[in-house]
Amino acid sequence: MSALPLLQVRDLKVHFPVRGGGLFPTTIPLKAVDGVSFDLAPGETLGIVGESGCGKSTLGRAVLQLLPATAGAVAWFGEDLTKLDKHALKARRRDMQIVFQDPLASLDPRMTAGDIIAEPLRNYHPEFSSADRKARVAKMMEQVGLHPAMINRYPHEFSGGQCQRIGIARAMILGPKLVVCDEPVSALDVSIRAQVVNLLMDLQRATGVAMLFISHDLAVVRHISHRVMVLYLGRVMELADRDSLYRAPRHPYTQSLMSAVPIPDPAKERARTRALLTGDLPSPLYPPSGCVFRTRCPKATEICSDVVPPRESAGPQHEVACHHWRD
Amino acid sequence: MQSVLDIKNLTVRFATADGEVAAVSDVSLSVGKGECLGIVGESGSGKSQTFMAAMGLLARNGRATGEVMFGYMNLLTAKEQTLNTVRGNKLAMIFQDPMTSLTPHMKVGRQLTEVLVRHCGLNAAAARTAAIEMLGRVRIPEAARRFDMYPHELSGGLRQRVMIAMALLCGPELIIADEPTTALDVTVQAQILALIRSTREEFNTSIILITHDLGVVAGLADRVAVMYAGRIVEIGDVDQIFNAPRHPYTKGLLACTPRLDDPATATLATIPGQPPNLQHLPRGCAYHPRCPYVMDRCRVESPKLLPTGAGQNACFLDDLDVRAAS
Amino acid sequence: MTLTPILAQTDALEAALAPTVAGRSLWQDAWRRLRANRAAVASLIILCVIAFASFIGPYLLPWTYDQIDWDHIEALPPDFALGHYLGTDSLGRDLLARTLYGGRVSLSVGILATFVALAIGVSVGAIAGFIGGKTDQLLMRFVDLLYAVPLTFFVIILMVVFGRNFVLIFLAIGAVEWLTMARIVRGQTLTLRRKEFIEAARASGGSTTAIILRHILPNVLGVVIVYVTLTIPQVILLESFLSFLGLGVQDPRTSWGMLINDGAAELEINPRTLIVPAIFMTATLFCFNFLGDGLRDALDPKDR
């Protein structure tokens, strides 16, 4: 890995003010992301997993400055993005893009596929002639597996998988250094999911783009990521190298997540004993004290409610935030 | 085995602005007593519409033909009134999003007791006791307190438990669960699946589990039907479908599902192309444009679902196998 | 940047099978649905005929709207020899010429005032909805304030300050009608703003102006068009109301509202003078409403 990381996120917090109830409502901070730190090297994929409400999508948007950070720093080649003005930010944005979950909703229904893919070009290269733009769009369409003959079609004329390819083409056309993929395959059919995952991996191999791959699907994340970060209620539970995390998850939350994923093999499913988590996610408005996972954790003891567990090293490239990971 | 639900040659057509579209074509299947049948398919495979038609819940532009026997009653020709006495009583349904299937402005308890009063003829007090007991049985903590809550005050997992409790209230013979865990997180999904498994053992109800997730089916179903473009392409015992699939689509679906128990490979296997567009289905076998084993015959002729081994399969490759064997 | 082309084989196949390269936009879809709606198409044709007759017709008639035929006061129709096809009114003016001229005034006021409302309403609504925060608060409170001003009072003040003027009527009406338009566009923009494609546009470096022009406006246009077709008849009615109060156009100029007002006065002696303009006006209002309904069905997002 190179010396200077592409992205250094330090103690990033994103809080949303929420109006409380009652006669004299006060605002309570909803801590969507609460003190997340990680590095991302060029050409690397960091998988971000967690259940709904864990703040993974908010984190992705805060990294891209699409949402304002409450505290902390997002350093892009050492330069803090949270301190940049609008103009400087626009220049940096050229290199960071996003792919969304809902393929159809992320495309303007009144624009053609060609216009959608060309939009970043219009914003950053207004000097290009329309013929030049069209040629680049056609080339990009081929690279994402869309036939250039479909350039004048509208989003509703494409299938979900094809729409997602258009979204990916729009994100890739400027040759970015980072793409945040926010659940890019969750809304797709099983048979299309694998196509899109392979496409993203091929594009990464060809262009060296780094990715933040946000997903709730542990199997897909394992497939595409180099490293994986597990979030729970806005905090990092575990951050490790892909193989080390899936071979030996240290955090009780990661362990229960893995055992909850169903395996398409009836014999294995029958033989499996599950460590079922009890209860539901606590409200992020009132997170538990100490370790946020303690209310559902099978290993929780007294210390967990008093002290926030620090991130400890549990081996090379493996960090875990739990008081009891050694047990 | 005595069958609870018997579907014969069910076809569902929808009238749309661009002409008539067949969402389900000539589907026949049956569910035995106490059996769990998994229905697997992608969007547009007709897996939900098959059972919406069976329950008489089709959208207004839909029309179903064929026969759906539930006991001695043909559900397709039954009157709305008769259907209402069966639905929610002997035949219950669980939907993907419990928020939309529970009435938002009515307390959970009211919705439960109403079913009991209407279908089982209990009085209000008895219904209340029975409903709270049922909430406890689907392992809702503090059942008596949740009884007086509104649906939006419950989490997604609890709402789905309430739906299951409601489905179980009148001791149904068959529960149709349409993507019951798709809207839930994995850890909650595991809880709900465990609950469905245990209720099945406890009440000996038959279950039809409709899902796109092969993992969910593997853990729960006894038999599995795989649907594609409105037809069943393969149906068989769960072990056979997962360990020795015969139809190329089943094989492809299994191969392209990333799994946690496999060593991670560099590239995932894929099924090329797009899911079927019911408005422009290809001639012959609907799967042929995506099939790696496509033959000339597949392009013109539609294969029938024929018995092979322990199950049934709709593919011309079987003919070749038979010929090769003889 | 060099990339190896990775063309999915079946997409190529599909493109080859369906060589319809040109896509069908949502507008084309809507147009197709509208054409299938008989009431809407008939309305559109009738409206075109009325508009054509109102703007061209007066030039083809032998009489102008203010010419008085002293010899044929309250002539009975049809009088082909003299060219009073629908007779004359109590001052001997040709009824058809006056009705068509009145249509010209009413339709101009309706269309121009609506476009004034459209321009102000859409810009204010889109800006308030998209930028939000203090800007939104300020603009919408201003709208609320204007809502509270009574229309007739407002028009009278304008008349007193600027004198009676044809332009003033549609400016005044437009200045009132834009309020609703602004609210509708703001509401639409608020829902659009949360859509992922707007976020995608921001992520790909689009400025606020570019996003409003490129993404917000084309997407609110459907609702706006429907509202425009429903506003035009509303404005025509408003204008006749103002004319009725004597705040509209002045004799010998006329509008449908004024003609109906005059006709009502001589209903018992000469009902034609009421019936003819009334038929024209109601037909127009009906057609606009039918067309608006048809457009709403054609553009209905639920059908997508």
Side-chain angles (χ1 to χ4, degrees), chain B residues 69-85:
Chain B
M69 296 302 290
F70 180 67
Y72 295 107
M73 188 195 301
N74 184 354
L75 294 179
L76 287 189
T77 53
K79 286 203 185 76
E80 188 67 21
Q81 224 176 351
T82 335
L83 274 180
N84 278 337
T85 59

Side-chain angles (χ1 to χ4, degrees), chain C residues 28-91:
Chain C
Q28 287 162 307
D29 271 353
W31 177 234
R32 196 170 50 92
R33 276 195 291 265
L34 186 69
R35 268 185 319 190
N37 184 336
R38 268 191 228 143
V41 173
S43 300
L44 193 61
I45 293 170
I46 295 174
L47 278 177
C48 286
V49 169
I50 292 179
F52 190 79
S54 298
F55 286 92
I56 308 291
Y59 298 112
L60 308 176
L61 290 174
W63 299 90
T64 61
Y65 71 96
D66 54 354
Q67 241 176 338
I68 298 174
D69 187 351
W70 293 104
D71 304 327
H72 299 92
I73 286 172
E74 291 190 6
L76 285 178
D79 191 338
F80 291 107
L82 286 161
H84 295 305
Y85 301 114
L86 293 176
T88 57
D89 66 2
S90 55
L91 290 176

Side-chain angles (χ1 to χ4, degrees), chain B residues 274-288:
Chain B
Q274 304 300 324
N277 179 347
L278 292 176
Q279 237 134 36
H280 312 283
L281 276 186
R283 267 189 72 188
C285 172
Y287 187 60
H288 87 252

